[in-house]
Amino acid sequence: YVFGDSNSYGVWLEKMEFKDGTGAGVSLGNYVVIYNVNVHDYTSSSGILIGSKSHALWCRSFNNGADGFNISFGSTIQYCVASENDGDGFDFISNRSHLKGSVAHQNGAYGVKFAGGECSITDCILDGNTTAGCKHDDNNELFVSERNIFTNQTGAGTGLFSDAPKLCFDNNSHYYNNGTDATSGVIQSGKTTGDPLYIDLANDDFRLQAGSPCVHDSYGSFFAVDPVLSKGAAAHPGNIMHPVVLG
């Protein structure tokens, strides 16, 4: 399904499902917004292709033949899920893009890949991806990772991989059971480790149990979460049911 081309503007796509095709699931132009859109089982291409300076919220792309999301310059993806795609979960192909509060789970290459600089990934869960949880692929530009949870990247998979580790800053993130946590030289502060205590990983429930080391709880209750210090998409009450429960 193609909604405009690279020169189109202002498309709004909401509350739709696209499934079981051979081309791209949804291909959009620039300055678009997609909200609560599910795309899955497109066997030979990516699920969701988004042009420049666009936004995706509460969307899910899974079991597609290439990337879950393919995203152009200056775009923001928030509260989305990319799972079990043959390629990358989220593939940001240019500069100044941002991923927030999202989940990349069991994708065939990278959970998230940033090909450009001046990008960031914040409050995300990256679990069980084949090559790495997240890759910073620009040799000359700043990249920031903050309050993410990197778990179970398969084989020798790396949690956070950077081609320019001296320009890659990772603050207050959590690591568990990866082949390697992060590329040598990545500038890290506030790193924690150990089982994050997902409620039910076997059934793709990434909410966090009480007592999780990823939850900073100043008030003695799991739901009284400090939004600054807690880590991962599951840590924030506004995001507690979706997308962190993938089933």
Side-chain angles (χ1 to χ4, degrees):
Y1 294 86
V2 178
F3 294 86
D5 56 25
S6 60
N7 297 312
S8 65
Y9 296 88
V11 173
W12 179 283
L13 196 63
E14 181 178 358
K15 296 180 180 178
M16 301 182 72
E17 181 177 23
F18 302 87
K19 62 181 181 178
D20 301 326
T22 56
V26 175
S27 181
L28 300 161
N30 302 322
Y31 295 93
V32 302
V33 175
I34 60 171
Y35 173 80
N36 198 11
V37 172
N38 289 334
V39 180
H40 58 93
D41 295 292
Y42 280 81
T43 58
S44 60
S45 187
S46 298
I48 299 175
L49 291 86
I50 302 173
S52 298
K53 297 184 178 179
S54 298
H55 297 269
L57 298 98
W58 303 109
C59 296
R60 183 179 174 193
S61 182
F62 62 97
N63 200 31
N64 298 295
D67 300 330
F69 293 76
N70 188 279
I71 307 113
S72 294
F73 170 84
S75 295
T76 298
I77 310 299
Q78 193 164 5
Y79 308 140
C80 292
V81 169
S83 62
E84 300 178 323
N85 299 287
D86 289 348
D88 303 323
F90 300 89
D91 187 0
F92 292 87
I93 63 174
S94 190
N95 297 341
R96 299 180 183 176
S97 291
H98 307 281
L99 182 66
K100 302 178 181 180
S102 297
V103 176
H105 172 60
Q106 289 188 350
N107 295 287
Y110 299 100
V112 185
K113 182 171 69 177
F114 290 91
E118 299 180 62
C119 295
S120 68
I121 177 170
T122 308
D123 297 322
C124 292
I125 291 174
L126 304 103
D127 176 79
N129 301 288
T130 299
T131 307
C134 178
K135 184 182 183 184
H136 164 226
D137 201 22
D138 191 291
N139 291 316
N140 301 303
E141 297 284 355
L142 178 69
F143 179 78
V144 175
S145 161
E146 191 163 24
R147 296 188 305 272
N148 301 296
I149 302 175
F150 298 87
T151 54
N152 305 310
Q153 315 314 323
T154 58
T158 303
L160 176 59
F161 182 91
S162 177
D163 283 336
K166 292 183 179 180
L167 293 174
C168 183
F169 294 83
D170 180 37
N171 304 316
N172 299 311
S173 291
H174 186 88
Y175 293 83
Y176 176 69
N177 197 34
N178 304 290
T180 302
D181 285 344
T183 302
S184 178
V186 168
I187 301 169
Q188 292 184 294
S189 64
K191 172 185 172 180
T192 55
T193 59
D195 190 338
L197 299 178
Y198 299 130
I199 284 181
D200 189 357
L201 179 60
N203 290 301
D204 299 335
D205 186 342
F206 288 93
R207 292 175 297 168
L208 302 174
Q209 299 177 40
S212 167
C214 301
V215 174
H216 176 84
D217 181 355
S218 302
Y219 304 97
S221 167
F222 171 59
F223 292 99
V225 173
D226 186 324
V228 176
L229 298 179
S230 300
K231 303 173 184 181
H236 299 276
N239 200 25
I240 202 68
M241 288 302 296
H242 179 82
V244 294
V245 183
L246 305 191

